[in-house]
């Protein structure tokens, strides 16, 4: 049979990437960051001057785009048509673009196929918005990591390279992204019925990890 599949979903800034990375390292699993794939595609759309609201053109673009995720100990590296775009996809224009291209059902279907192929052998921690609900509804363990909007924008602010953006912009962008991710018709962000929800507003990374690790350990 396949190895274990752990799904981690939740809104931006809830700490999913950090938690997924630590968890994968702790248990010797691969960490796959699906948000990076939407980001890479958004970058492709930006470079080609595509309209984020034109699903027909975007679908054609998708057919000509190759996105590769390379898991490493420090996070995923992302290749867009063979070019390493790991740093570039963290910029604000790409971040907003990712949340806009990801509303289109044909784009999501393409991504979900890629993600299922990447994860089919198991032995993975896959992180995103719809892993437990759509990509791997039969995942062995599902976590929904949440936190208050204030805590999430504070964390984003602390992670953002010095003076890159101001606090107001970050919290505004986070709110817009939340709004789109939760309200889109296709695969809106929500906890799977069988997910364990962890609100990390008042928890340290260590506390979140301890809770999740004890649940995973009981399952291995
Ligand atoms: O997780 P990250 O912030 O990198 O994701 C960027 C955007 O990609 C999210 O705001 C969301 O709109 C989209 N996304 C998605 N489904 C996923 C992962 C990310 O719709 N599984």
């Amino acid at each position: 049979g396949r190895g274990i599949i752990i799904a981690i979903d939740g809104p931006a800034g809830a700490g999913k990437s950090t938690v997924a990375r630590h968890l994968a390292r702790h248990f010797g699993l691969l960490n796959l960051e699906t948000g990076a794939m939407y980001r890479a595609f958004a970058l492709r759309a930006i470079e080609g001057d595509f309209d984020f609201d034109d699903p027909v053109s975007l679908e054609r673009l998708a057919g000509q785009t190759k996105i590769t995720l390379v898991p490493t100990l420090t996070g995923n590296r992302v290749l867009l048509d063979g070019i390493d775009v790991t740093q570039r996809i963290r910029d604000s224009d790409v971040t907003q673009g990712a949340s806009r291209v990801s509303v289109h059902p044909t784009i999501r279907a393409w991504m979900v196929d890629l993600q299922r192929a990447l994860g089919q052998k198991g032995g993975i921690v896959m992180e995103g918005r719809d892993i437990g609900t759509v990509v791997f509804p039969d995942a062995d363990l599902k976590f929904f990591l949440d936190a208050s909007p204030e805590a999430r924008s504070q964390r984003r602010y602390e992670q953002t390279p010095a003076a890159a953006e101001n606090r107001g912009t970050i919290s505004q962008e986070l709110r817009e992204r939340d709004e789109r991710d939760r309200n889109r018709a296709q695969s809106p962000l929500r906890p799977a019925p069988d997910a364990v929800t962890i609100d990390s507003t008042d928890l340290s990374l260590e506390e979140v990890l301890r809770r999740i690790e004890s649940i995973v350990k009981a399952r291995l």
Side-chain angles (χ1 to χ4, degrees):
R2 63 155 171 75
I4 192 169
I5 295 181
I6 302 175
I8 302 188
D9 291 301
K16 299 186 301 294
S17 302
T18 311
V19 165
R21 196 164 61 241
H22 280 84
L23 206 61
R25 198 182 309 179
H26 188 89
F27 290 106
L29 305 169
L30 285 182
N31 169 29
L32 295 164
E33 240 180 88
T34 61
M37 302 171 74
Y38 288 93
R39 287 170 181 270
F41 182 60
L43 175 58
R44 185 77 152 78
I46 290 169
E47 287 173 348
D49 208 15
F50 281 77
D51 181 351
F52 291 141
D53 299 321
D54 176 358
V56 176
S57 303
L58 289 176
E59 188 180 0
R60 206 174 317 122
L61 181 65
Q64 308 160 1
T65 302
K66 184 165 166 50
I67 292 167
T68 313
L69 270 190
V70 187
T72 78
L73 282 178
T74 51
N76 286 183
R77 301 209 71 78
V78 191
L79 305 181
L80 175 59
D81 297 321
I83 312 261
D84 191 319
V85 295
T86 308
Q87 295 304 319
R88 172 69 177 95
I89 60 167
R90 297 296 148 192
D91 291 346
S92 162
D93 59 337
V94 179
T95 302
Q96 290 303 307
S99 111
R100 293 183 59 186
V101 296
S102 70
V103 304
H104 302 303
T106 53
I107 299 304
R108 300 202 67 82
W110 169 54
M111 291 288 179
V112 168
D113 282 350
L114 289 174
Q115 290 155 9
R116 285 182 182 151
L118 278 174
Q120 60 168 348
K121 292 199 180 115
I124 58 161
V125 180
M126 191 174 274
E127 175 240 310
R129 302 289 185 291
D130 60 342
I131 311 307
T133 51
V134 176
V135 181
F136 286 115
D138 63 344
D140 302 278
L141 283 168
K142 302 178 184 178
F143 296 97
F144 193 86
L145 206 53
D146 211 344
S148 71
E150 294 74 23
R152 293 187 290 114
S153 51
Q154 176 62 26
R155 285 177 198 158
R156 263 302 130 88
Y157 180 69
E158 286 164 4
Q159 288 168 2
T160 304
E165 271 172 280
N166 67 45
R167 192 181 288 259
T169 311
I170 289 173
S171 72
Q172 167 75 26
E173 287 179 349
L174 201 101
R175 265 202 307 278
E176 285 174 17
R177 216 142 58 92
D178 271 2
E179 178 84 8
R180 259 197 300 271
D181 288 350
R182 290 182 207 270
N183 295 316
R184 68 185 172 222
Q186 184 79 17
S187 323
L189 172 66
R190 56 179 169 72
D194 52 345
V196 175
T197 294
I198 296 179
D199 188 314
S200 72
T201 306
D202 299 313
L203 299 178
S204 67
L205 169 64
E206 286 69 30
E207 289 170 316
V208 173
L209 280 173
R210 219 176 302 134
R211 285 189 196 191
I212 294 185
E213 284 172 5
S214 72
I215 295 173
V216 175
K217 226 168 270 158
R219 253 314 181 87
L220 286 177

